[in-house]
Amino acid sequence: EIATKRARLGNPLYLSIRHFKKFRAIFLNKVEAFISLHQSSITQQDIILWNRTLNEAFDRMIELFTMYYGQVAEAQVYAQKKLISELSTPIISISDTVGVLPIIGQIDDYKSNDFAGKIMMQAKDLELSCLIIDLSGVPSIDTMMTNELFQVVNMLELLGIDTTITGIRPEIALTAVQLGIDFSKIRTYGKLKDAVSDLLHIR
């Protein structure tokens, strides 16, 4: 139940694992306190058995927790990607000239649906002068996907459409730098709401 709740809220998995470490320490401290009170009746074999049992139980809990968390997180990402792919217009128009394209999951998943072509057509049909591409829903990215993304940015530029990218994770930035992609020509923001606020104010 906790794993499902944490996954639905989008809480980072590593934070939950940290709690397991704290709980394990609390249990071990209780065992140590019990041993100190009953030293005369406790053998070395008892201590080894309790320690092994306790650690195996916590390892199993962590294993189950990560499994259930992963199942819920994957189901959410799949549902979000399916919803976006079914939308006739994946670009969300937020003003006469500004649109938002939220990308959920891996960029590579969009290739089969003529991702780049649809963006070009819809951005042009909506008469956008600026498109915000939000990457906060992209868990990871490789070299090929980063290159694909920046090819889309270049094509939008040829159409006279400025591109703003939000939600860039450190690994995405690192991959882009390794590819030699120049970020200086692209406006970036850490959060989507900041980009929307600035661009709507400007335009």
Side-chain angles (χ1 to χ4, degrees):
E1 290 176 356
I2 294 173
T4 300
K5 183 178 180 181
R6 295 280 170 85
R8 286 176 177 167
L9 290 173
N11 297 139
L13 182 58
Y14 73 89
L15 291 180
S16 297
I17 300 301
R18 271 188 199 166
H19 291 310
F20 279 108
K21 291 173 64 178
K22 293 178 181 178
F23 296 149
R24 190 196 302 258
I26 291 171
F27 273 77
L28 288 172
N29 288 337
K30 290 292 184 181
V31 171
E32 289 176 2
F34 181 84
I35 292 171
S36 66
L37 290 173
H38 304 85
Q39 291 182 9
S40 59
S41 60
I42 295 173
T43 66
Q44 187 69 24
Q45 285 74 21
D46 290 330
I47 297 173
I48 293 172
L49 175 62
W50 294 341
N51 185 67
R52 182 189 304 124
T53 302
L54 187 61
N55 281 307
E56 286 177 353
F58 268 94
D59 289 342
R60 180 58 177 158
M61 277 193 286
I62 293 172
E63 180 183 340
L64 289 172
F65 186 94
T66 54
M67 182 182 73
Y68 293 135
Y69 184 101
Q71 288 175 350
V72 174
E74 287 177 9
Q76 283 185 307
V77 169
Y78 175 78
Q80 290 169 334
K81 287 195 295 184
K82 185 177 179 183
L83 176 62
I84 288 178
S85 66
E86 289 174 352
L87 291 172
S88 58
T89 308
I91 295 177
I92 302 167
S93 181
I94 58 174
S95 78
D96 291 340
T97 58
V98 180
V100 176
L101 175 66
I103 296 180
I104 308 295
Q106 302 290 356
I107 294 174
D108 198 45
D109 296 333
Y110 294 82
K111 284 186 179 180
S112 60
N113 296 321
D114 189 22
F115 175 58
K118 284 184 178 179
I119 293 175
M120 301 300 109
M121 292 297 297
Q122 289 159 6
K124 198 66 178 175
D125 290 343
L126 291 170
E127 299 181 347
L128 299 180
S129 61
C130 181
L131 178 64
I132 303 171
I133 300 178
D134 181 49
L135 302 180
S136 56
V138 178
S140 62
I141 193 168
D142 61 20
T143 301
M144 189 182 345
M145 296 177 205
T146 305
N147 194 44
E148 177 82 6
L149 173 65
F150 282 91
Q151 283 181 0
V152 171
V153 172
N154 289 334
M155 286 188 282
L156 287 168
E157 185 179 0
L158 292 175
L159 294 176
I161 300 171
D162 294 331
T163 304
T164 296
I165 298 181
T166 62
I168 297 179
R169 297 171 182 264
E171 56 268 30
I172 297 176
L174 179 61
T175 304
V177 170
Q178 291 172 343
L179 282 173
I181 295 171
D182 186 7
F183 269 101
S184 63
K185 297 180 181 178
I186 304 171
R187 186 185 291 110
T188 61
Y189 288 84
K191 296 180 180 179
L192 174 61
K193 65 177 183 179
D194 294 334
V196 170
S197 177
D198 283 357
L199 290 171
L200 290 182
H201 177 71
I202 293 171
R203 299 169 190 268

